[in-house]
mmCIF file of all heavy atoms in Angstrom:
data_model
loop_
_atom_site.group_PDB
_atom_site.id
_atom_site.type_symbol
_atom_site.label_atom_id
_atom_site.label_comp_id
_atom_site.label_asym_id
_atom_site.label_seq_id
_atom_site.Cartn_x
_atom_site.Cartn_y
_atom_site.Cartn_z
ATOM 1 N N GLY A 1786 54.906 -71.709 -33.949
ATOM 2 C CA GLY A 1786 54.047 -70.794 -33.168
ATOM 3 C C GLY A 1786 53.045 -70.122 -34.090
ATOM 4 O O GLY A 1786 52.773 -70.648 -35.197
ATOM 5 N N PRO A 1787 52.500 -68.953 -33.670
ATOM 6 C CA PRO A 1787 51.559 -68.245 -34.500
ATOM 7 C C PRO A 1787 52.211 -67.766 -35.795
ATOM 8 O O PRO A 1787 53.363 -67.405 -35.819
ATOM 9 C CB PRO A 1787 51.161 -67.037 -33.627
ATOM 10 C CG PRO A 1787 51.636 -67.338 -32.266
ATOM 11 C CD PRO A 1787 52.735 -68.311 -32.380
ATOM 12 N N VAL A 1788 51.406 -67.793 -36.866
ATOM 13 C CA VAL A 1788 51.920 -67.417 -38.209
ATOM 14 C C VAL A 1788 51.686 -65.915 -38.428
ATOM 15 O O VAL A 1788 50.528 -65.460 -38.421
ATOM 16 C CB VAL A 1788 51.159 -68.199 -39.301
ATOM 17 C CG1 VAL A 1788 51.678 -67.857 -40.670
ATOM 18 C CG2 VAL A 1788 51.309 -69.704 -39.030
ATOM 19 N N THR A 1789 52.765 -65.167 -38.557
ATOM 20 C CA THR A 1789 52.600 -63.714 -38.872
ATOM 21 C C THR A 1789 53.533 -63.426 -40.055
ATOM 22 O O THR A 1789 54.419 -64.214 -40.365
ATOM 23 C CB THR A 1789 53.080 -62.850 -37.675
ATOM 24 O OG1 THR A 1789 54.455 -63.124 -37.466
ATOM 25 C CG2 THR A 1789 52.289 -63.131 -36.420
ATOM 26 N N ARG A 1790 53.340 -62.238 -40.663
ATOM 27 C CA ARG A 1790 54.206 -61.876 -41.791
ATOM 28 C C ARG A 1790 55.678 -61.871 -41.390
ATOM 29 O O ARG A 1790 56.551 -62.294 -42.151
ATOM 30 C CB ARG A 1790 53.813 -60.471 -42.333
ATOM 31 C CG ARG A 1790 52.671 -60.561 -43.288
ATOM 32 C CD ARG A 1790 52.600 -59.359 -44.216
ATOM 33 N NE ARG A 1790 51.347 -59.342 -44.962
ATOM 34 C CZ ARG A 1790 51.177 -59.982 -46.128
ATOM 35 N NH1 ARG A 1790 52.191 -60.629 -46.720
ATOM 36 N NH2 ARG A 1790 50.009 -59.984 -46.733
ATOM 37 N N GLU A 1791 55.957 -61.382 -40.161
ATOM 38 C CA GLU A 1791 57.361 -61.324 -39.709
ATOM 39 C C GLU A 1791 57.972 -62.716 -39.548
ATOM 40 O O GLU A 1791 59.098 -62.969 -39.994
ATOM 41 C CB GLU A 1791 57.472 -60.596 -38.353
ATOM 42 C CG GLU A 1791 57.087 -59.124 -38.376
ATOM 43 C CD GLU A 1791 55.645 -58.872 -38.716
ATOM 44 O OE1 GLU A 1791 54.791 -59.607 -38.185
ATOM 45 O OE2 GLU A 1791 55.354 -57.929 -39.506
ATOM 46 N N GLN A 1792 57.157 -63.641 -38.993
ATOM 47 C CA GLN A 1792 57.643 -64.991 -38.815
ATOM 48 C C GLN A 1792 57.874 -65.680 -40.154
ATOM 49 O O GLN A 1792 58.824 -66.360 -40.377
ATOM 50 C CB GLN A 1792 56.669 -65.801 -37.956
ATOM 51 C CG GLN A 1792 56.600 -65.310 -36.538
ATOM 52 C CD GLN A 1792 57.783 -65.791 -35.702
ATOM 53 O OE1 GLN A 1792 57.858 -66.928 -35.245
ATOM 54 N NE2 GLN A 1792 58.690 -64.890 -35.447
ATOM 55 N N VAL A 1793 56.957 -65.428 -41.110
ATOM 56 C CA VAL A 1793 57.097 -66.010 -42.442
ATOM 57 C C VAL A 1793 58.363 -65.513 -43.112
ATOM 58 O O VAL A 1793 59.112 -66.280 -43.662
ATOM 59 C CB VAL A 1793 55.866 -65.656 -43.320
ATOM 60 C CG1 VAL A 1793 56.082 -66.043 -44.778
ATOM 61 C CG2 VAL A 1793 54.597 -66.301 -42.810
ATOM 62 N N LYS A 1794 58.635 -64.199 -42.922
ATOM 63 C CA LYS A 1794 59.823 -63.619 -43.560
ATOM 64 C C LYS A 1794 61.117 -64.250 -43.001
ATOM 65 O O LYS A 1794 62.023 -64.602 -43.755
ATOM 66 C CB LYS A 1794 59.826 -62.122 -43.318
ATOM 67 C CG LYS A 1794 60.761 -61.358 -44.226
ATOM 68 C CD LYS A 1794 60.568 -59.881 -44.156
ATOM 69 C CE LYS A 1794 61.848 -59.213 -44.564
ATOM 70 N NZ LYS A 1794 62.274 -58.140 -43.698
ATOM 71 N N ILE A 1795 61.146 -64.431 -41.704
ATOM 72 C CA ILE A 1795 62.360 -65.045 -41.062
ATOM 73 C C ILE A 1795 62.545 -66.472 -41.629
ATOM 74 O O ILE A 1795 63.637 -66.849 -42.049
ATOM 75 C CB ILE A 1795 62.178 -65.114 -39.530
ATOM 76 C CG1 ILE A 1795 62.210 -63.722 -38.954
ATOM 77 C CG2 ILE A 1795 63.215 -66.015 -38.913
ATOM 78 C CD1 ILE A 1795 61.987 -63.683 -37.442
ATOM 79 N N LEU A 1796 61.490 -67.235 -41.693
ATOM 80 C CA LEU A 1796 61.611 -68.611 -42.140
ATOM 81 C C LEU A 1796 61.962 -68.682 -43.636
ATOM 82 O O LEU A 1796 62.790 -69.491 -44.057
ATOM 83 C CB LEU A 1796 60.311 -69.406 -41.858
ATOM 84 C CG LEU A 1796 60.384 -70.891 -42.213
ATOM 85 C CD1 LEU A 1796 61.556 -71.585 -41.574
ATOM 86 C CD2 LEU A 1796 59.090 -71.585 -41.842
ATOM 87 N N GLN A 1797 61.352 -67.776 -44.429
ATOM 88 C CA GLN A 1797 61.683 -67.761 -45.872
ATOM 89 C C GLN A 1797 63.180 -67.545 -46.090
ATOM 90 O O GLN A 1797 63.780 -68.202 -46.901
ATOM 91 C CB GLN A 1797 60.899 -66.621 -46.547
ATOM 92 C CG GLN A 1797 59.489 -66.943 -46.895
ATOM 93 C CD GLN A 1797 58.745 -65.778 -47.558
ATOM 94 O OE1 GLN A 1797 59.134 -64.592 -47.342
ATOM 95 N NE2 GLN A 1797 57.719 -66.053 -48.329
ATOM 96 N N GLN A 1798 63.745 -66.595 -45.314
ATOM 97 C CA GLN A 1798 65.164 -66.308 -45.491
ATOM 98 C C GLN A 1798 66.030 -67.472 -45.092
ATOM 99 O O GLN A 1798 66.966 -67.864 -45.801
ATOM 100 C CB GLN A 1798 65.543 -65.070 -44.683
ATOM 101 C CG GLN A 1798 64.960 -63.811 -45.251
ATOM 102 C CD GLN A 1798 65.216 -62.607 -44.322
ATOM 103 O OE1 GLN A 1798 65.372 -62.757 -43.108
ATOM 104 N NE2 GLN A 1798 65.299 -61.413 -44.893
ATOM 105 N N ALA A 1799 65.699 -68.066 -43.933
ATOM 106 C CA ALA A 1799 66.525 -69.195 -43.450
ATOM 107 C C ALA A 1799 66.411 -70.385 -44.445
ATOM 108 O O ALA A 1799 67.430 -71.004 -44.776
ATOM 109 C CB ALA A 1799 66.070 -69.617 -42.048
ATOM 110 N N ASP A 1800 65.198 -70.651 -44.877
ATOM 111 C CA ASP A 1800 64.965 -71.774 -45.791
ATOM 112 C C ASP A 1800 65.713 -71.566 -47.078
ATOM 113 O O ASP A 1800 66.310 -72.478 -47.640
ATOM 114 C CB ASP A 1800 63.443 -71.830 -46.030
ATOM 115 C CG ASP A 1800 63.062 -73.008 -46.925
ATOM 116 O OD1 ASP A 1800 63.162 -74.141 -46.457
ATOM 117 O OD2 ASP A 1800 62.696 -72.779 -48.093
ATOM 118 N N ASN A 1801 65.709 -70.339 -47.558
ATOM 119 C CA ASN A 1801 66.388 -70.006 -48.812
ATOM 120 C C ASN A 1801 67.892 -70.223 -48.717
ATOM 121 O O ASN A 1801 68.498 -70.819 -49.634
ATOM 122 C CB ASN A 1801 66.058 -68.536 -49.182
ATOM 123 C CG ASN A 1801 66.380 -68.251 -50.613
ATOM 124 O OD1 ASN A 1801 65.952 -69.011 -51.505
ATOM 125 N ND2 ASN A 1801 67.164 -67.240 -50.886
ATOM 126 N N ILE A 1802 68.489 -69.805 -47.600
ATOM 127 C CA ILE A 1802 69.923 -70.013 -47.430
ATOM 128 C C ILE A 1802 70.225 -71.505 -47.359
ATOM 129 O O ILE A 1802 71.166 -72.007 -47.996
ATOM 130 C CB ILE A 1802 70.404 -69.344 -46.099
ATOM 131 C CG1 ILE A 1802 70.306 -67.828 -46.242
ATOM 132 C CG2 ILE A 1802 71.832 -69.764 -45.721
ATOM 133 C CD1 ILE A 1802 70.519 -67.058 -44.962
ATOM 134 N N TYR A 1803 69.411 -72.224 -46.638
ATOM 135 C CA TYR A 1803 69.597 -73.674 -46.445
ATOM 136 C C TYR A 1803 69.572 -74.386 -47.795
ATOM 137 O O TYR A 1803 70.528 -75.102 -48.157
ATOM 138 C CB TYR A 1803 68.464 -74.173 -45.551
ATOM 139 C CG TYR A 1803 68.544 -75.628 -45.125
ATOM 140 C CD1 TYR A 1803 69.748 -76.270 -44.896
ATOM 141 C CD2 TYR A 1803 67.372 -76.359 -44.918
ATOM 142 C CE1 TYR A 1803 69.774 -77.605 -44.481
ATOM 143 C CE2 TYR A 1803 67.364 -77.677 -44.498
ATOM 144 C CZ TYR A 1803 68.594 -78.303 -44.298
ATOM 145 O OH TYR A 1803 68.617 -79.594 -43.866
#
Side-chain angles (χ1 to χ4, degrees):
V1788 181
T1789 62
R1790 278 202 189 272
E1791 293 66 42
Q1792 294 282 283
V1793 171
K1794 196 170 155 225
I1795 291 176
L1796 184 55
Q1797 279 179 334
Q1798 289 174 332
D1800 183 70
N1801 195 52
I1802 292 170
Y1803 185 34

